[in-house]
Every structure is written in C-alpha cells, then in structure tokens.
Amino acid sequence: MSTTEATPAPPARGTGDVVAATDLTKVYGEGESEVRALDGVTISFPHGQLAAVMGPSGSGKSTLMHILAGLDQPTSGSVIVDGTELAGLNDQKLTLLRREKIGFVFQFFNLLPMLTARENIELPMRIAGASPDPAWQDTLIDAIGLGDRLSHRPSELSGGQQQRVAVARALLSQPAVVFGDEPTGNLDSRTGAEVLQLLRRAVDEFGQTVIMVTHDASAASIADRVVFLRDGKVVRDSGRMSASEILDTIKTLE
Amino acid sequence: MLRLVLRGLATRKLRSALTAIAILLGVTMISGTFVLTDQIDRAFVQIFEQGNAQIDVVVKDRPPFEDQQTEVYLDADVVDRVRDVEGVALAEPFLQVQGYLVANGEQLVSQGGAPNFVFSSLPQAMNPYTPVAGRLPEASGEVAVAKEIAEQGGLEVGQAAQLATQAGARDVTVVGILQFGDGTTSLGGSTSVIAPLADVQAWWSLDGKASYIYAKAADGVSEDELAGRVRTALDDPGLIVQTAAEDSAEQASELNALIGRLIRFALLGFAGVAVLVGAFIIFNTFSITVAQRTREFAMLRTIGASRRQILGTVVGEAFVIALAATLVGLVCGLGFAWGLNRVFELVGFGLPATGLRMPWQTVVVCLVVGIGVTVLAAIGPALRATRIAPVSALRDGAAPPRGRLARLTPVIAVLIGVLGGAALAAGLTQDIATEQRLATLAAGAIAIFIAVAILSRYIVRPVVHAAAPPITAVAGGVGRIAAENTGRNPARTAVTAAALMIGIGLVVFVTIFVGGLRESFTGAIDDSLESELIVTAQGFGSPLPAEVLPAVRAVEGVAVASPVGGTPAQIGPGTFALIGVDPADIDQVYSFDWEQGDDALIAQLGADGAVVEANVASDLGVGVGDSIDVVSITGATATFEVRGLYADEQFLNGVTITQEALGPLLQSNATGINTLFVKEAEGADSAAVQAAVEAALEPFPTAQVQSNAEIKEQIESGVNQLLVIFYALLALSVIISLFGIVNTLVLSIFERTREIGMLRAVGTTRRQLRRMIRWESVITSIIGGVLGVLIGILFGWVTAQGLEAEGIVFILPVGTLLLFLALSIVAGVVAAILPARRAAKLDVLEALQYE
Ligand SMILES: Nc1ncnc2c1ncn2[C@@H]1O[C@H](COP(=O)(O)OP(=O)(O)O)[C@@H](O)[C@H]1O
Ligand SMILES: [Mg+2]
C-alpha cells in the first residue's frame, strides 16, 4: 500500500457488512437455572461504522460481542466476519481469524506490563510474525498523541494513555473490525472522551469499523448507530442519537 | 486458623502437590539411605553372630598396630594351651584366606569385588556351616562349598575341581555342599570354600599358623568366665582373647565402618543435596504464593487477623505439606532402599540382606529434616506476609513490602559467598579429620550455592535482554514475550534456576573430579611405567606365589620381570606402605620422578637404604640423610636411611627399600611379590608375549596378566561405573529442580491468567502460547545450566588445586560440559510440558474474566 506522508490511506475493504449475525442464541446452564443470554439476535454491521451496543447490566452485550469476535460459540445461529463463517472453525482457525481480522480493546488489562507502549502496540503483529506498515504505524502513533511516552511501560502511563495505546494496538493490523467492551468504562469522562475521539477518528479518517459496548450515554452519542439489548434481544436499533435521546431510551427499557 | 490452612491447601492443590514432591523426594532418599544401611548393619551383625554361634571364646593375634587391610595370624599351637584351660570343652585353630574354586573351566568368584574366602574346616560342633549334601572335608584334597557357589558352578558332591591357592592350582574333590547359619542370610556376594586346615596352611604358606583359636565352653561355664580363664592361662600381651559375642560385634562394626558407613555417607550426601534443592523450591513457592495472596492476607488483616495469625497460616501450610510429604517420603524410602538393593545386585555387588525395616530413628530424622527444612524455607516468605498492610486489600496488584534488610541483600550474599569460599579453602588445605573436612567443604559449597542463588537475580535481566533478540529470531514474537516474562521477576527466576544449578553444578564437579582422578591413574601409567605388562594377584592385596617370578622371566620375549611387593608398616605416628623393589632391574620397568637423587641410588640401597615418596616424606617430616624406624605388621623392626625423594602417588606411594631388606619384615605367607612389572624384549610382538606370559602362568590361576592398555580400560570402566552411580544419585536432585521449574511456571501462569487471555484474544495460537511457556522454561533452565556448569568448574578447579599433592589433575571435559548444557535445555523443555499444556488449555473468555 502506497501512501503519501500527509494522508493516511483508508484500508482497501469492501463496503458490505463486515459482521453479520443471524438468529444468535446463547444459553447458559440447564433447566431451572437456564439463562438465555442471547435470544434470537440477528444483526449486521456495515463497513466503516462506529456502532455502540447498550443495554442494562446482564442484557447480553458482552456475550454478543464475544460471540461476534469469535471468543465464544453461540448455542445456535451463525456469525460471518469479513466473509468468513465462524461456525465450525477450530480454535486454531479462530485464533488466526482474530489475529488477522479483529482488533480488541478491553476495559482492563489490555497491555503487557513488561513491554513498552510501542512494543504493546506492535504486539499482535509481532505475534503474527508480520511487520507493521511503517507509515500507518506513524500515523497511529501520531493519532494517540503519546509523544515521548512511547518507550514507557504501562505502569508509567495514565489510564487514558493506556487505553489509547490499546486502541492503537487494535488498529495497527488494520483489522476488518475492532471490538471494544466498555473501553472507557474504567476512565473518567475527560480521558474517556479522548479515547472515544480516537475511535471516532479511526472510523472517519482511517475507514475502520468499530463496535463497542458501553454504559455511557455520552459515549454512545458519538456512535453512528446505537443498538439496545434487553434480556438477550435487540429491542432498538437506531442511527445516531443524542445523549439525552439515549438516556430516555434507557429509561424506557428499564 | 487450622481450617483456613487446610482450606487454603485444598484450593491450591497443584501448588501444594508440587511443593510436597520437592520435600518428598529428599525425604525418600534420606529414609531409603537409613533403611538400606540399617539392613547392611544388621546383616553384618547377623553374619558374624551366626558365624560365632557355635563358639564361646576367640583368641587372635594382636598386631603391633591396626591395619584393617592386612590379615594377621597367630601360632596354631596356641590351641594346645587353650585346650588345657579348665572349662574348655573344645578348642580348634581356624584359618581364613582368600581363594576360589575353578570347576568346568569356570572361576567361581564373587561379582563386584566381594571377597572370595577359603576357610579351614572346623568340627561340626563349632562350624557355622552345615552340609545340605555330602559332608565336611576331612582328608587332604577334599573341599566343601557354600550352596551359592554350588548353584553358580553347577557343582555336585563328588565332583573334581581345582582350588586356586597362593601356591597355584590344586586338584580337589567337592565332598559337601553347605549352608551358612540357618540358610537365610545372604553373604553379600562373597564366596566360601572350606578345606582341611593342613591344606589351607600348606597352600597359603601358613604352616603352623591360624587366624583364630576358637574355644567352646563346657556346660555351666559362661563365655565371659571362659574368656577370663583363657586370658589368664595364656598371659600373652601379643594375643587378644575375646568372647564370641565381642568378636562378632567387633568384626561387624569393622566391616560396617568399611562398607556401611561409606554407603551411608555417600547416600546421605546426595540426599542432603536433594533436600537443599527442595529447600530452594519450597522457599520460591512460598514467596510466590505469598505475593499472590497479598490481597487475601490484607483482607484477613482488615477483619482483625493479627500478624501472628498470618504467620501461623503460612507456616501452618508449610507444616501440613511437610508432614504429609515426609510421611509419604518415609514409606517411599522403603521402596528406594529396595530399588537400591536391586541396582547393587544388577551391577554385581549384592548387598548382604536381612529384609528391610524402618528403624524409629529414621522416622525421627526424616520428620525433623522434612518439616524443619520446609518450615525454615517458608519462614522468610511468611514473615513477608505479616508485613502486608491491611490497606493493600483495596489496591489491585499490591505486593508485600520488601523487608528491611532488602537493601543489604547483595552485601549479605557476597559475605555468604566469601565465607563459603573460605570454608572451601580451609576444607581443602587444613589438616583435619576426614569427616570434619567433608563437613567444612559441604558447608562451603552450600554457602556458595546460596550466595550465587541470591546474586544471580542481578544477572537475570541482562541475560534475558541479551537473549531476547536471538530467541525472538528463533521463536518469533512470543519469544520476545517469553524473555520479558522471565526477566519480570528476577529473584523468582534466579531461585528457580539456582535449584537446577545445584544439581548441574554437582554433576559437572563430579565429572571433572572423577576425570581428574582417572587421569591421575592413567597418567601415572604413562609417566611412570616403562613396562608393558603387569601381573597381579586376584583377590584384594594377596601376594603372588614366589614361583611366578621365575616362570615369567623364563618366557621368551620377556626382557625384564621386576617384582614389587610390600607390607604396611608403622613409621612414626602413622601407617605407611613399606615397598620392596628389585634394585637390579626396577629402573628398567619404572621411571622414578626424582625430587632428590637419581636412578643410581637404587643400585646402592643395600640393606638399610630407602628412597621415599615426597609427600610421605613430608608427612613423616624427614629428608635425605635422616633415618626412619619402621615396625612391620609382624612386629619386626628395622631402621633405614633416607637416600632420595621421588614423586608418585600411584605405584610406589610409600617408603621404598630393596626386596632383600623387605623380606624379614613380611608375614610368613607374603612372598614380597604383589606386582610384577614385565617389559618386553626389543621388537617383540606384544600380543604374543602377553599370550605367552598368560600361558606360563596357567598353573597359577590367581595371577592375572594385563597390558597397560587393559589396566587403563579397567580404570576407565571403574570410573565410568562410579560416574553412573553419581549421576543416578544426582539425577534425583535435578528432577526435584525440574519440579521447581514446573512449580514456578504454573504459579506464574496462574498469575498471568488474564494476560494470557488477552494474548489469545489478539491472535496468539495455542501452539504459540505453549512455545512461549517453553521458552520461559528453557531460559530459566539455561541460566541454571550455565551457572551450574560454571560453579561446577569452579569447584572442580578448587578441588584439583587442593588435591594437587594427591595427583589429582584438572581437565575440562568440554564436550561433556556442552552435553550437560544441552541436557539442561532438554530439562527446561520437559519441565514446560505440563505448565504449557495448562496455559494452552485456558479458555480465552474465562481467562479474560479471571479475577
Ligand atoms: N459464563 C457464564 N455462565 C453463566 N451465565 C453467564 C455467563 N456469562 C454470562 N452469563 C449470563 O448471561 C447474561 C448476559 O451476560 P452478559 O453478556 O455478561 O451481560 P452484559 O455484558 O450485558 O452485562 C447474564 O444474565 C449473565 O449472568
Ligand atoms: Mg458486560
């Protein structure tokens, strides 16, 4: 991929659905103690979108995300990520799929404590034995605005800085989709906003696709699309919403 | 609190089990050693008690000084005076020598160095042997054999055989097959043949001699009473009169001192190593668990647990693990002893057996050592646990505070190392008793091990950083992570590696030391001998028949056959070898390494000249021109003038005089020829000469002919056998240290569960994860291996320096050392199997959500 210095190239991806799930159910336990964490979820996410998944605690947000990301298997239903059907993939194939097509930002413990910020960013690519595109890497590093702290270890970085490093790490391999499970859940609102801004830029400027779970209405308000879950079902799927609209919706759901 | 302890152990099953194994194996070795040596002890006692069961009083010669290697004899006619003592029902002279039967062309000798006895026959009333077939020998030329030999050689009553005697082979007829005592006691592989006294006396040049006079008391006379009466009647300070009980106890303890003590000493040494390695592992495990349980302890503190109670939980856990492991180890010790018995049997050195028993002292020792070492090793980590502040409960990733002495750690470690070095130096150079010397050396070695273990934490990070690029090149990105993980907690890695270091270090040391020992023997053959063949007598310290000398000299192709013989002698305060050489031709077969003097001296030694080995001379404090007074084992005395000094720890390690001067100092059965050095004629065919010499010696079955190369081979194989035994015993320590690596890995994987989940989520395959763990293990084991090799070389070098006077040289077996390094890598790979599997099995989601 050739790039000029100033303009980062959006990755060359199709415009169809990056992630498509059909009739997903996930049942935990049996009989009396049976929990339907997901109950017939059909949803797809097109390329180049920032989507927020919301819902009360226990509504199945994490479960959905884990299944979409190939970290967990549904009880029934199918998931297609960037053209690949996940059902029937063995652990090895799933791992390689995650490695190549999926980026992750978790709420906690994204980074290896003994590696520097830069090394953490490069980690998945190093594991894959690939070398990152230097221009893209520079762009990302520029975007997270860590400056001279790149050679610091996570313990020497603030929570917001750590999460921005995690975002850069998720983006470095230019995955088909980045999943975030409450990526700002552990941050105060200002540092949280910086991280969200970074995700927003990833979509707008770098043409990435991001799906994040969040509890926070203002976080969800920057998303192109807000999906509400309740009791394992999609109860509302809307385009961009303002924070107050989102809060209202949440109230009606509870 | 006890409930908490037990609950804690139950929830940390794998950890507890791995810790327990470290203790268990050490205890197993200790308990096995005691069981085994107890078995040997009791067997010896039983052998001699059964041997003396039929008699009451023993009379023996009192040599002018103690020398356990030399049999002494008294005049057989002392028996007449014993018979005259009132209360003696029966008295007989008894003679014991070394020899064996040759039947159907097979030498019926013991395996693995146990003695081959020939005993003079006693009347049945006094004889511990009873016929199971045939009868006891009566007439000249009759023998009876122990049933073990009969089985070995397929002998039957009435069979013709030959008896290998000091005077050559003698035709005999087997008239009986015998059992010893009640037939249940194994004699530890030794063989016994019984022949009439007159034959034994004649064939071993012991006319009129006896080893003992045995007496049996008349009814109503006690052993003690009879011994007193015999002592009074004989009234001879040159004779010892003992009750049969005293005699058997003394013989058992002498033999035990020779064999049982040696085995016990060696085995306990290795057990000590195992325990030391175990202590390292226990210390490490408890350090890690305490760190991991910081929040738990802090929480206990917030809800009101006192420091003492926290200490109690950790130490209590150690105690419970140790108790369980020790009890199991005790039982395993029985199995270990059983296994050792089989091993000794396999290498042809059957131990005398009486069945295994667990003496109560063993239980006490093992409990003390097992529990003591564990609790001691756990006390440091436990104290750290008590210093955890209650507030840590609220913080994530809190670690116990460093101790107050933490800053001083390197200083203390260096101090320990220096003290250890000083102890090593002292142990090697100071003139102290062997036991003290070994204890000093052991303490020094342990101190150095501990110092290195502590200090090596400072090299872990540099090593890991240096190793990261090559490992990354080989293993990819996970290699890098593995390297970083290893460097994450240097103290932990260092102690884990140190446990392996001890095992490898001792393996390397033993290899170097034994190699030096071998070199000192084989080197001496090359350096000192001008001859090509050596004739020696089979049987420990037995002389060759005098007829051997002319027989060999007459062989065509033999240029020189020079006899060397000797006797122990008391010179000054010590016992040294008095060696007789033939001044006419010794210089043609042996080259003296003169420190003072030259070959010309030998021809002029005469009846009162001596040349002395340099170390012996310095022990005696004599130099050229001084005179030395000697007392031989027969009590004969002589004075020699020191004419020259030479160096040789192998062949002529003592005071060398002429054969002629030696003669009057020898016992009647000694010929003065223990060894013949044979030099071939110029241009002779070596193989042909050896064959001719062997043929010429056919009538003397005890004489064995070996070329220098064969002797070297024999030394080599003996040394290798020794090495195999050492390796096998040290292997246990290495295995224990592997458990240490497993333990550390398992614990750290446990700690890093979420991290591992993250790695898997971002695309690390199971295989890569296994590879990562494997590299962590291998890096640790390489650190341990390299440190071990270095420390082993150091110990080997120091020892070689200290024992230079003994002829020990220092050689670096580079190939072998590389092999050990390779083995330590293999060890790392093996140790990683279970932890890697566990890590790879982790479910990604569960790992990510792990609390
Ligand atoms: N491993 C599991 N075992 C049993 N029940 C689970 C498990 N994971 C999630 N659940 C249940 O599934 C439901 C959805 O959980 P989750 O997806 O974590 O919800 P959210 O992320 O929206 O809070 C909850 O009722 C939760 O208790
Ligand atoms: Mg959740």
Side-chain angles (χ1 to χ4, degrees), chain A residues 56-63 66 107 181-182 213 215, chain B residues 849:
Chain A
S57 185
S59 58
K61 305 182 293 292
S62 295
T63 305
H66 292 149
Q107 184 175 359
D181 194 353
E182 306 196 27
V213 168
H215 261 117
Chain B
Q849 288 156 358

Side-chain angles (χ1 to χ4, degrees), chain B residues 213-568:
Chain B
I213 307 291
Y214 287 150
K216 207 172 164 61
D219 283 343
V221 182
S222 76
E223 275 195 3
D224 285 320
E225 205 178 326
L226 191 68
R229 286 191 211 169
V230 172
R231 200 173 292 127
T232 317
L234 292 177
D235 188 27
D236 185 343
L239 296 176
I240 299 171
V241 179
Q242 285 178 321
T243 64
E246 284 165 354
D247 172 66
S248 52
E250 185 183 295
Q251 295 205 55
S253 86
E254 269 174 23
L255 197 52
N256 198 31
L258 219 60
I259 297 174
R261 203 172 123 248
L262 190 75
I263 293 177
R264 175 177 304 181
F265 228 70
L267 286 181
L268 279 186
F270 288 106
V273 174
V275 169
L276 180 69
V277 171
F280 272 66
I281 289 164
I282 294 158
F283 170 80
N284 215 21
T285 308
F286 276 92
S287 300
I288 299 172
T289 24
V290 162
Q292 289 176 351
R293 293 168 70 194
T294 301
R295 284 177 82 167
E296 179 189 330
F297 290 132
M299 189 275 291
L300 285 174
R301 296 275 281 130
T302 54
I303 61 170
S306 67
R307 292 197 163 187
R308 183 184 290 244
Q309 280 172 313
I310 299 287
L311 188 76
T313 351
V314 179
V315 172
E317 228 179 272
F319 182 85
V320 172
I321 291 180
L323 183 66
T326 304
L327 292 179
V328 178
L330 272 168
V331 177
C332 291
L334 285 172
F336 184 69
W338 182 87
L340 279 178
N341 266 304
R342 299 292 87 73
V343 170
F344 277 112
E345 246 166 49
L346 271 181
V347 299
F349 186 79
L351 295 173
T354 49
L356 300 179
R357 203 179 62 177
M358 175 75 65
W360 65 266
Q361 295 94 328
T362 309
V363 179
V364 174
V365 169
C366 288
L367 281 173
V368 168
V369 172
I371 295 174
V373 167
T374 310
V375 169
L376 267 182
I379 211 111
L383 285 173
R384 271 189 95 189
T386 64
R387 287 197 295 268
I388 292 169
V391 68
S392 308
L394 311 173
R395 267 190 311 221
D396 198 60
R402 282 159 65 87
R404 266 157 295 182
L405 291 177
R407 257 180 325 121
L408 290 177
T409 308
V411 182
I412 296 173
V414 169
L415 215 65
I416 294 175
V418 169
L419 283 177
L424 276 191
L428 282 168
T429 54
Q430 295 300 301
D431 188 21
I432 44 179
T434 307
E435 263 134 70
Q436 251 175 313
R437 185 188 303 281
L438 286 174
T440 315
L441 289 173
I446 291 174
I448 287 182
F449 279 135
I450 291 177
V452 173
I454 300 174
L455 290 174
S456 59
R457 80 173 60 168
Y458 301 103
I459 64 154
V460 168
R461 283 228 170 98
V463 165
V464 162
H465 284 302
I471 292 173
T472 313
V474 178
V478 289
R480 175 73 211 287
I481 303 173
E484 290 296 342
N485 279 336
T486 319
R488 220 154 146 170
N489 202 323
R492 193 188 284 185
T493 304
V495 175
T496 310
L500 180 63
M501 162 190 83
I502 296 175
I504 300 273
L506 290 174
V507 166
V508 168
F509 165 69
V510 162
T511 308
I512 292 179
F513 179 72
V514 172
L517 204 64
R518 171 185 50 206
E519 191 58 28
S520 73
F521 287 126
T522 56
I525 292 177
D526 293 334
D527 295 344
S528 309
L529 296 190
E530 310 272 324
S531 60
E532 288 85 17
L533 296 175
I534 296 181
V535 182
T536 50
Q538 214 164 33
F540 192 65
S542 311
L544 285 162
E547 296 82 357
V548 163
L549 183 55
V552 173
R553 281 187 170 149
V555 171
E556 197 173 331
V558 168
V560 181
S562 187
V564 174
T567 177

Side-chain angles (χ1 to χ4, degrees), chain A residues 28 62 66 71-72 91-92 95-96 98-99 102 104 106 108-115 119-120 123-124 126-129 153 169, chain B residues 396 465 472 476-478 480-482 484-485 488 752 754-755 757-768 843-845 848-849:
Chain A
Y28 288 113
S62 295
H66 292 149
L71 289 173
D72 202 358
D91 182 82
Q92 173 78 10
T95 305
L96 294 180
R98 287 200 300 271
R99 177 192 283 183
I102 297 172
F104 284 100
F106 302 108
F108 307 108
F109 306 106
N110 274 297
L111 308 179
L112 290 188
M114 68 287 186
L115 299 183
E119 288 168 337
N120 264 296
L123 177 69
R126 294 266 177 254
I127 289 170
R153 288 175 209 278
R169 181 193 68 192
Chain B
D396 198 60
H465 284 302
T472 313
V478 289
R480 175 73 211 287
I481 303 173
E484 290 296 342
N485 279 336
R488 220 154 146 170
R752 291 185 280 149
R754 272 194 294 214
E755 231 174 88
M758 193 274 287
L759 280 169
R760 294 273 289 123
V762 303
T764 309
T765 61
R766 293 209 153 116
R767 231 182 126 122
Q768 284 181 309
D843 179 81
V844 184
L845 267 187
L848 277 169
Q849 288 156 358

Side-chain angles (χ1 to χ4, degrees), chain B residues 179-192:
Chain B
Q179 83 171 23
F180 179 77
D182 57 10
T184 59
T185 310
S186 150
L187 294 174
S190 67
T191 66
S192 31

